[in-house]
PDB file of all heavy atoms in Angstrom:
ATOM      1  N   ALA B 315     -66.592  17.536   7.862  1.00  0.00           N
ATOM      2  CA  ALA B 315     -65.225  17.858   8.250  1.00  0.00           C
ATOM      3  C   ALA B 315     -65.149  18.230   9.719  1.00  0.00           C
ATOM      4  O   ALA B 315     -64.205  17.893  10.412  1.00  0.00           O
ATOM      5  CB  ALA B 315     -64.687  18.981   7.382  1.00  0.00           C
ATOM      6  N   LEU B 316     -66.154  18.956  10.183  1.00  0.00           N
ATOM      7  CA  LEU B 316     -66.226  19.299  11.602  1.00  0.00           C
ATOM      8  C   LEU B 316     -67.288  18.427  12.237  1.00  0.00           C
ATOM      9  O   LEU B 316     -68.457  18.510  11.875  1.00  0.00           O
ATOM     10  CB  LEU B 316     -66.623  20.764  11.753  1.00  0.00           C
ATOM     11  CG  LEU B 316     -65.508  21.757  12.005  1.00  0.00           C
ATOM     12  CD1 LEU B 316     -66.073  23.147  12.034  1.00  0.00           C
ATOM     13  CD2 LEU B 316     -64.779  21.460  13.312  1.00  0.00           C
ATOM     14  N   CYS B 317     -66.872  17.576  13.164  1.00  0.00           N
ATOM     15  CA  CYS B 317     -67.816  16.594  13.695  1.00  0.00           C
ATOM     16  C   CYS B 317     -68.451  17.080  14.988  1.00  0.00           C
ATOM     17  O   CYS B 317     -68.416  16.398  16.005  1.00  0.00           O
ATOM     18  CB  CYS B 317     -67.115  15.268  13.916  1.00  0.00           C
ATOM     19  SG  CYS B 317     -66.444  14.614  12.395  1.00  0.00           S
ATOM     20  N   ASP B 318     -69.014  18.260  14.962  1.00  0.00           N
ATOM     21  CA  ASP B 318     -69.625  18.770  16.178  1.00  0.00           C
ATOM     22  C   ASP B 318     -70.924  18.042  16.502  1.00  0.00           C
ATOM     23  O   ASP B 318     -71.360  18.019  17.642  1.00  0.00           O
ATOM     24  CB  ASP B 318     -69.863  20.269  16.064  1.00  0.00           C
ATOM     25  CG  ASP B 318     -68.553  21.026  16.111  1.00  0.00           C
ATOM     26  OD1 ASP B 318     -67.568  20.431  16.583  1.00  0.00           O
ATOM     27  OD2 ASP B 318     -68.503  22.178  15.680  1.00  0.00           O
ATOM     28  N   SER B 319     -71.528  17.468  15.493  1.00  0.00           N
ATOM     29  CA  SER B 319     -72.726  16.682  15.792  1.00  0.00           C
ATOM     30  C   SER B 319     -72.333  15.215  15.776  1.00  0.00           C
ATOM     31  O   SER B 319     -71.677  14.732  14.861  1.00  0.00           O
ATOM     32  CB  SER B 319     -73.807  16.949  14.757  1.00  0.00           C
ATOM     33  OG  SER B 319     -73.324  16.599  13.483  1.00  0.00           O
ATOM     34  N   HIS B 320     -72.741  14.498  16.805  1.00  0.00           N
ATOM     35  CA  HIS B 320     -72.325  13.110  16.948  1.00  0.00           C
ATOM     36  C   HIS B 320     -73.245  12.195  16.158  1.00  0.00           C
ATOM     37  O   HIS B 320     -74.379  12.549  15.840  1.00  0.00           O
ATOM     38  CB  HIS B 320     -72.361  12.715  18.417  1.00  0.00           C
ATOM     39  CG  HIS B 320     -73.664  13.051  19.070  1.00  0.00           C
ATOM     40  ND1 HIS B 320     -73.851  14.203  19.791  1.00  0.00           N
ATOM     41  CD2 HIS B 320     -74.845  12.416  19.064  1.00  0.00           C
ATOM     42  CE1 HIS B 320     -75.095  14.250  20.210  1.00  0.00           C
ATOM     43  NE2 HIS B 320     -75.725  13.194  19.797  1.00  0.00           N
ATOM     44  N   ALA B 321     -72.749  11.013  15.838  1.00  0.00           N
ATOM     45  CA  ALA B 321     -73.578  10.013  15.168  1.00  0.00           C
ATOM     46  C   ALA B 321     -74.390   9.236  16.202  1.00  0.00           C
ATOM     47  O   ALA B 321     -75.537   8.883  15.977  1.00  0.00           O
ATOM     48  CB  ALA B 321     -72.700   9.068  14.365  1.00  0.00           C
ATOM     49  N   LYS B 322     -73.759   8.978  17.348  1.00  0.00           N
ATOM     50  CA  LYS B 322     -74.450   8.226  18.397  1.00  0.00           C
ATOM     51  C   LYS B 322     -74.083   8.800  19.749  1.00  0.00           C
ATOM     52  O   LYS B 322     -72.964   9.258  19.958  1.00  0.00           O
ATOM     53  CB  LYS B 322     -74.009   6.759  18.370  1.00  0.00           C
ATOM     54  CG  LYS B 322     -74.712   5.943  17.315  1.00  0.00           C
ATOM     55  CD  LYS B 322     -74.167   4.534  17.315  1.00  0.00           C
ATOM     56  CE  LYS B 322     -74.785   3.760  16.157  1.00  0.00           C
ATOM     57  NZ  LYS B 322     -74.015   2.564  15.857  1.00  0.00           N
ATOM     58  N   LEU B 323     -75.035   8.740  20.653  1.00  0.00           N
ATOM     59  CA  LEU B 323     -74.801   9.236  22.004  1.00  0.00           C
ATOM     60  C   LEU B 323     -75.177   8.144  22.999  1.00  0.00           C
ATOM     61  O   LEU B 323     -76.265   7.578  22.936  1.00  0.00           O
ATOM     62  CB  LEU B 323     -75.657  10.478  22.257  1.00  0.00           C
ATOM     63  CG  LEU B 323     -75.618  11.051  23.669  1.00  0.00           C
ATOM     64  CD1 LEU B 323     -74.260  11.621  23.990  1.00  0.00           C
ATOM     65  CD2 LEU B 323     -76.684  12.117  23.824  1.00  0.00           C
ATOM     66  N   PHE B 324     -74.243   7.844  23.893  1.00  0.00           N
ATOM     67  CA  PHE B 324     -74.519   6.848  24.912  1.00  0.00           C
ATOM     68  C   PHE B 324     -74.490   7.527  26.271  1.00  0.00           C
ATOM     69  O   PHE B 324     -73.472   8.098  26.654  1.00  0.00           O
ATOM     70  CB  PHE B 324     -73.454   5.743  24.892  1.00  0.00           C
ATOM     71  CG  PHE B 324     -73.364   5.033  23.573  1.00  0.00           C
ATOM     72  CD1 PHE B 324     -72.511   5.499  22.583  1.00  0.00           C
ATOM     73  CD2 PHE B 324     -74.143   3.919  23.322  1.00  0.00           C
ATOM     74  CE1 PHE B 324     -72.434   4.857  21.367  1.00  0.00           C
ATOM     75  CE2 PHE B 324     -74.068   3.274  22.102  1.00  0.00           C
ATOM     76  CZ  PHE B 324     -73.212   3.737  21.116  1.00  0.00           C
ATOM     77  N   GLU B 325     -75.614   7.486  26.962  1.00  0.00           N
ATOM     78  CA  GLU B 325     -75.574   7.941  28.359  1.00  0.00           C
ATOM     79  C   GLU B 325     -76.661   7.252  29.137  1.00  0.00           C
ATOM     80  O   GLU B 325     -77.668   6.820  28.589  1.00  0.00           O
ATOM     81  CB  GLU B 325     -75.690   9.467  28.460  1.00  0.00           C
ATOM     82  CG  GLU B 325     -76.888  10.071  27.815  1.00  0.00           C
ATOM     83  CD  GLU B 325     -76.798  11.594  27.775  1.00  0.00           C
ATOM     84  OE1 GLU B 325     -75.878  12.158  28.385  1.00  0.00           O
ATOM     85  OE2 GLU B 325     -77.657  12.201  27.136  1.00  0.00           O
ATOM     86  N   GLU B 326     -76.420   7.145  30.420  1.00  0.00           N
ATOM     87  CA  GLU B 326     -77.380   6.435  31.246  1.00  0.00           C
ATOM     88  C   GLU B 326     -78.369   7.427  31.817  1.00  0.00           C
ATOM     89  O   GLU B 326     -77.973   8.427  32.405  1.00  0.00           O
ATOM     90  CB  GLU B 326     -76.671   5.704  32.378  1.00  0.00           C
ATOM     91  CG  GLU B 326     -77.591   4.765  33.101  1.00  0.00           C
ATOM     92  CD  GLU B 326     -76.811   3.709  33.862  1.00  0.00           C
ATOM     93  OE1 GLU B 326     -75.786   4.058  34.462  1.00  0.00           O
ATOM     94  OE2 GLU B 326     -77.219   2.561  33.843  1.00  0.00           O
ATOM     95  N   PRO B 327     -79.646   7.167  31.629  1.00  0.00           N
ATOM     96  CA  PRO B 327     -80.627   8.084  32.216  1.00  0.00           C
ATOM     97  C   PRO B 327     -80.493   8.077  33.739  1.00  0.00           C
ATOM     98  O   PRO B 327     -80.274   7.042  34.352  1.00  0.00           O
ATOM     99  CB  PRO B 327     -81.970   7.496  31.768  1.00  0.00           C
ATOM    100  CG  PRO B 327     -81.689   6.123  31.273  1.00  0.00           C
ATOM    101  CD  PRO B 327     -80.258   6.038  30.913  1.00  0.00           C
ATOM    102  N   GLU B 328     -80.613   9.238  34.296  1.00  0.00           N
ATOM    103  CA  GLU B 328     -80.416   9.373  35.732  1.00  0.00           C
ATOM    104  C   GLU B 328     -81.595   8.740  36.473  1.00  0.00           C
ATOM    105  O   GLU B 328     -82.751   8.956  36.104  1.00  0.00           O
ATOM    106  CB  GLU B 328     -80.362  10.866  36.047  1.00  0.00           C
ATOM    107  CG  GLU B 328     -79.748  11.193  37.362  1.00  0.00           C
ATOM    108  CD  GLU B 328     -79.755  12.693  37.548  1.00  0.00           C
ATOM    109  OE1 GLU B 328     -79.166  13.404  36.715  1.00  0.00           O
ATOM    110  OE2 GLU B 328     -80.383  13.146  38.504  1.00  0.00           O
ATOM    111  N   ALA B 329     -81.280   7.952  37.472  1.00  0.00           N
ATOM    112  CA  ALA B 329     -82.345   7.338  38.258  1.00  0.00           C
ATOM    113  C   ALA B 329     -83.059   8.429  39.052  1.00  0.00           C
ATOM    114  O   ALA B 329     -82.408   9.241  39.695  1.00  0.00           O
ATOM    115  CB  ALA B 329     -81.767   6.290  39.197  1.00  0.00           C
ATOM    116  N   PRO B 330     -84.372   8.469  39.004  1.00  0.00           N
ATOM    117  CA  PRO B 330     -85.087   9.547  39.684  1.00  0.00           C
ATOM    118  C   PRO B 330     -84.876   9.479  41.195  1.00  0.00           C
ATOM    119  O   PRO B 330     -84.856   8.409  41.784  1.00  0.00           O
ATOM    120  CB  PRO B 330     -86.555   9.290  39.309  1.00  0.00           C
ATOM    121  CG  PRO B 330     -86.624   7.877  38.847  1.00  0.00           C
ATOM    122  CD  PRO B 330     -85.274   7.513  38.332  1.00  0.00           C
ATOM    123  N   GLY B 331     -84.697  10.619  41.793  1.00  0.00           N
ATOM    124  CA  GLY B 331     -84.620  10.691  43.251  1.00  0.00           C
ATOM    125  C   GLY B 331     -83.249  10.389  43.822  1.00  0.00           C
ATOM    126  O   GLY B 331     -83.030  10.518  45.012  1.00  0.00           O
ATOM    127  N   SER B 332     -82.304   9.982  42.976  1.00  0.00           N
ATOM    128  CA  SER B 332     -81.012   9.596  43.521  1.00  0.00           C
ATOM    129  C   SER B 332     -80.009  10.740  43.472  1.00  0.00           C
ATOM    130  O   SER B 332     -78.855  10.578  43.789  1.00  0.00           O
ATOM    131  CB  SER B 332     -80.475   8.403  42.741  1.00  0.00           C
ATOM    132  OG  SER B 332     -80.186   8.834  41.424  1.00  0.00           O
ATOM    133  N   ARG B 333     -80.449  11.886  43.034  1.00  0.00           N
ATOM    134  CA  ARG B 333     -79.533  12.993  42.807  1.00  0.00           C
ATOM    135  C   ARG B 333     -78.927  13.517  44.093  1.00  0.00           C
ATOM    136  O   ARG B 333     -79.622  13.665  45.107  1.00  0.00           O
ATOM    137  CB  ARG B 333     -80.280  14.120  42.108  1.00  0.00           C
ATOM    138  CG  ARG B 333     -79.488  14.721  41.004  1.00  0.00           C
ATOM    139  CD  ARG B 333     -80.180  15.900  40.399  1.00  0.00           C
ATOM    140  NE  ARG B 333     -79.175  16.910  40.150  1.00  0.00           N
ATOM    141  CZ  ARG B 333     -78.229  16.771  39.229  1.00  0.00           C
ATOM    142  NH1 ARG B 333     -78.197  15.701  38.475  1.00  0.00           N
ATOM    143  NH2 ARG B 333     -77.316  17.702  39.064  1.00  0.00           N
ATOM    144  N   SER B 334     -77.645  13.752  44.081  1.00  0.00           N
ATOM    145  CA  SER B 334     -77.027  14.395  45.237  1.00  0.00           C
ATOM    146  C   SER B 334     -75.990  15.378  44.726  1.00  0.00           C
ATOM    147  O   SER B 334     -75.801  15.516  43.514  1.00  0.00           O
ATOM    148  CB  SER B 334     -76.361  13.338  46.123  1.00  0.00           C
ATOM    149  OG  SER B 334     -75.138  12.943  45.531  1.00  0.00           O
ATOM    150  N   PHE B 335     -75.332  16.007  45.649  1.00  0.00           N
ATOM    151  CA  PHE B 335     -74.300  16.968  45.298  1.00  0.00           C
ATOM    152  C   PHE B 335     -73.207  16.318  44.449  1.00  0.00           C
ATOM    153  O   PHE B 335     -72.616  16.942  43.592  1.00  0.00           O
ATOM    154  CB  PHE B 335     -73.694  17.535  46.591  1.00  0.00           C
ATOM    155  CG  PHE B 335     -72.527  18.438  46.350  1.00  0.00           C
ATOM    156  CD1 PHE B 335     -72.718  19.706  45.814  1.00  0.00           C
ATOM    157  CD2 PHE B 335     -71.231  18.022  46.636  1.00  0.00           C
ATOM    158  CE1 PHE B 335     -71.642  20.542  45.585  1.00  0.00           C
ATOM    159  CE2 PHE B 335     -70.152  18.861  46.407  1.00  0.00           C
ATOM    160  CZ  PHE B 335     -70.353  20.127  45.882  1.00  0.00           C
ATOM    161  N   PHE B 336     -72.970  15.022  44.701  1.00  0.00           N
ATOM    162  CA  PHE B 336     -71.847  14.351  44.030  1.00  0.00           C
ATOM    163  C   PHE B 336     -72.226  13.699  42.707  1.00  0.00           C
ATOM    164  O   PHE B 336     -71.359  13.225  41.994  1.00  0.00           O
ATOM    165  CB  PHE B 336     -71.248  13.301  44.957  1.00  0.00           C
ATOM    166  CG  PHE B 336     -70.785  13.874  46.257  1.00  0.00           C
ATOM    167  CD1 PHE B 336     -71.440  13.579  47.443  1.00  0.00           C
ATOM    168  CD2 PHE B 336     -69.701  14.742  46.299  1.00  0.00           C
ATOM    169  CE1 PHE B 336     -71.016  14.126  48.638  1.00  0.00           C
ATOM    170  CE2 PHE B 336     -69.277  15.280  47.495  1.00  0.00           C
ATOM    171  CZ  PHE B 336     -69.947  14.978  48.674  1.00  0.00           C
ATOM    172  N   THR B 337     -73.524  13.655  42.417  1.00  0.00           N
ATOM    173  CA  THR B 337     -73.967  12.900  41.240  1.00  0.00           C
ATOM    174  C   THR B 337     -73.191  13.265  39.991  1.00  0.00           C
ATOM    175  O   THR B 337     -72.684  12.398  39.281  1.00  0.00           O
ATOM    176  CB  THR B 337     -75.469  13.143  40.998  1.00  0.00           C
ATOM    177  OG1 THR B 337     -76.152  12.886  42.215  1.00  0.00           O
ATOM    178  CG2 THR B 337     -75.989  12.232  39.902  1.00  0.00           C
TER     179      THR B 337
END
Side-chain angles (χ1 to χ4, degrees):
Chain B
L316 261 176
C317 300
D318 289 341
S319 60
H320 51 264
K322 279 177 186 162
L323 175 67
F324 301 90
E325 56 189 352
E326 190 160 41
E328 198 180 301
S332 67
R333 223 185 139 69
S334 77
F335 174 72
F336 302 111
T337 308

